[in-house]
Amino acid sequence: MKALIKNGTIIDPVYNVKEKKDILIENQNVVSIKKNISVDANYVIDAKNMMVAPGFVDLHANFCDPGATDREDLKTGSLSAAKGGYTHVVLGVDNKPSPSESNVIDYINKYKSIMPINIYPSATITIDRMGYELADIIFLYNHGAFAFCDGLRPVSDKNLLKKAMDILKTKGKFVSVYSESGDKIKVRGIVEGNAAKKLGIKGATPVDAEVTDLKDNIAIARMADAMIDLAYISCEESVEAIREAKKEKLKVYAEVPALNLFFNEKVIEKYEALAKVLPPLRSETDRVALCNALKKDVIDIISSNHVPIESKEKEGKFKDAQSGSIGLETVLGICGKILVGEGYLTWKDVIEKISVNPARLYGLDKEGAGMIEIDKPANITIFDPDEEWILTEENIISKSHNTPLLNLTLKGKVKYTICNGKLVYRDVNTSDSEK
């Protein structure tokens, strides 16, 4: 089986490439990259005026399977990811039972080989993500857990966090953490400020809840001499703390959810519960600081923060609604609209943040993720950088439609996704030929 990509502009930050070349794929591997390849292929993609990039890599996407398959499942989550250009996804831990038990890891590993993309199970750091009792990390690692986090819950006991770091270091792994402190928080998903006042929310998240806990997490990483992934960054103060940690040469890496680059807290007044997310949306000053942090490499990775939620769980009063938004299908469009459109990043920079860096951080580059290289698996995303499109309920693949981006215009659209040499997504408005 041969596939040929013609006339596209290859964007590959690993090899500092941005040039027009063709790519020939045979079976699952890239076998040739050069100009004007002429060969009899089973499938030919005309990528004229499109960019050809390494497949995207996400580190925190919840597929809710097992346990909440009315929200999402392994198949629909994988298809949603493929539409967003993702070829590798590390799963979140929003499962029932929690992946502090090996049967959840076993279940995902059993079915991952039949999914259209590469998926990897995560295990929790603490039992049931409660933050107070360490999970059996070595046992879960031996059962095939790929990553370790407590999702959108903080690890409150810092002694446990250090123990987890020490254990994972022996296996070449590290923790990924959500930073949030404050026993007085009664309503998560919104910070104290104008939006909370207008909605009459009492007990909203204090403005300093993230940075206070984040500094503690950095301090524990320093003490343990361990790598740490600071996921879900949302405020300017956290950016400054991360900047200082990197100046110290600490092994600190940071992620920002794409939605926090697009919106500030004012959108909550309009969309209310649809804009209730973790980490919460913040001020315009914070949003701009996050964009600049990507530009200056203080923040390394842009994540989807894909959290599917049924529509009934977003109804009613804001304080009672579940927090979260789907995100896999919109990351590229947000990057094109905001980061490239407003001059923060080039497309090459974007690919570094959504493909190269996450692949390297989690060691997926060893499998050929985050690069386009001869004799490596063909994991490739082809997108139109200039196409504007509107997100509607009709064109969402995810089972859940919870997002404040509905009916808004994004820029940059995935046209094809190739995973391990197979075409796993094709936009309806494309032209190609098959034999």
Side-chain angles (χ1 to χ4, degrees), residues 100-310:
S100 50
E101 301 177 19
S102 62
N103 58 342
V104 177
I105 307 299
D106 295 339
Y107 171 85
I108 294 169
N109 281 329
K110 178 180 177 180
Y111 291 107
K112 68 180 184 179
S113 64
I114 62 173
M115 294 301 125
I117 64 165
N118 301 293
I119 62 172
Y120 305 85
S122 295
T124 61
I125 299 168
T126 64
I127 292 176
D128 293 329
R129 300 188 294 152
M130 297 304 293
Y132 298 105
E133 185 177 357
L134 202 64
D136 192 339
I137 289 174
I138 295 296
F139 178 75
L140 293 166
Y141 172 84
N142 288 337
H143 268 265
F146 179 79
F148 293 83
C149 67
D150 271 3
L152 290 160
R153 294 184 187 176
V155 181
S156 304
D157 187 327
K158 300 308 176 187
N159 290 323
L160 286 184
L161 183 61
K162 185 178 182 301
K163 286 181 183 179
M165 289 178 178
D166 290 338
I167 292 168
L168 288 169
K169 270 202 310 182
T170 68
K171 300 299 181 181
K173 295 285 185 179
F174 54 90
V175 297
S176 174
V177 293
Y178 176 76
S179 300
E180 183 182 78
S181 66
D183 296 332
K184 297 179 181 179
I185 299 174
K186 294 181 180 178
V187 182
R188 300 177 83 207
I190 187 170
V191 294
E192 294 173 340
N194 292 331
K197 288 178 182 177
K198 289 185 178 181
L199 292 176
I201 302 295
K202 295 181 179 180
T205 303
V207 173
D208 64 351
E210 176 179 297
V211 69
T212 299
D213 195 42
L214 180 135
K215 287 180 177 179
D216 289 343
N217 291 332
I218 292 173
I220 297 299
R222 181 190 294 110
M223 187 186 307
D225 189 26
M227 185 185 299
I228 188 170
D229 176 19
L230 299 166
Y232 314 109
I233 302 305
S234 70
C235 67
E236 183 178 25
E237 291 81 4
S238 291
V239 168
E240 293 308 312
I242 294 163
R243 192 193 315 275
E244 290 304 312
K246 289 193 172 189
K247 283 182 181 178
E248 281 188 60
K249 306 297 183 184
L250 298 180
K251 291 171 279 192
V252 167
Y253 298 86
E255 301 178 47
V256 60
L259 202 68
N260 295 70
L261 303 170
F262 194 91
F263 288 122
N264 61 38
E265 63 184 343
K266 288 183 179 179
V267 75
I268 299 173
E269 298 171 27
K270 180 177 181 180
Y271 293 103
E272 297 198 3
L274 272 181
K276 185 181 183 182
V277 295
L278 294 172
L281 301 173
R282 293 179 178 260
S283 70
E284 178 64 7
T285 299
D286 290 313
R287 188 194 72 81
V288 171
L290 296 172
C291 295
N292 279 319
L294 287 165
K295 182 177 182 178
K296 297 176 182 178
D297 293 324
V298 177
I299 294 179
D300 309 281
I301 293 164
I302 301 165
S303 63
S304 75
N305 196 15
H306 184 76
V307 182
I309 292 173
E310 286 186 278

Side-chain angles (χ1 to χ4, degrees), residues 371-386:
M371 65 183 74
I372 301 174
E373 185 176 329
I374 292 173
D375 295 330
K376 292 289 180 69
N379 295 300
I380 294 171
T381 300
I382 303 170
F383 65 96
D384 184 338
D386 299 316

Side-chain angles (χ1 to χ4, degrees), residues 324-339:
S325 171
I326 57 171
L328 284 165
E329 299 174 42
T330 52
V331 170
L332 184 76
I334 288 173
C335 290
K337 179 83 170 181
I338 302 299
L339 297 176

Side-chain angles (χ1 to χ4, degrees), residues 80 83-84 258-259 262-263 271 274 304 306 325-334 337 387-414 425 427:
S80 177
K83 183 182 177 183
L259 202 68
F262 194 91
F263 288 122
Y271 293 103
L274 272 181
S304 75
H306 184 76
S325 171
I326 57 171
L328 284 165
E329 299 174 42
T330 52
V331 170
L332 184 76
I334 288 173
K337 179 83 170 181
E387 182 171 345
E388 294 187 330
W389 57 285
I390 296 173
L391 182 70
T392 66
E393 294 207 43
E394 290 73 27
N395 62 30
I396 292 174
I397 288 181
S398 171
K399 277 187 181 181
S400 297
H401 294 175
N402 55 301
T403 173
L405 289 166
L406 281 172
N407 303 313
L408 297 183
T409 300
L410 304 175
K411 188 173 184 180
K413 192 175 188 186
V414 174
Y425 174 75
D427 183 56

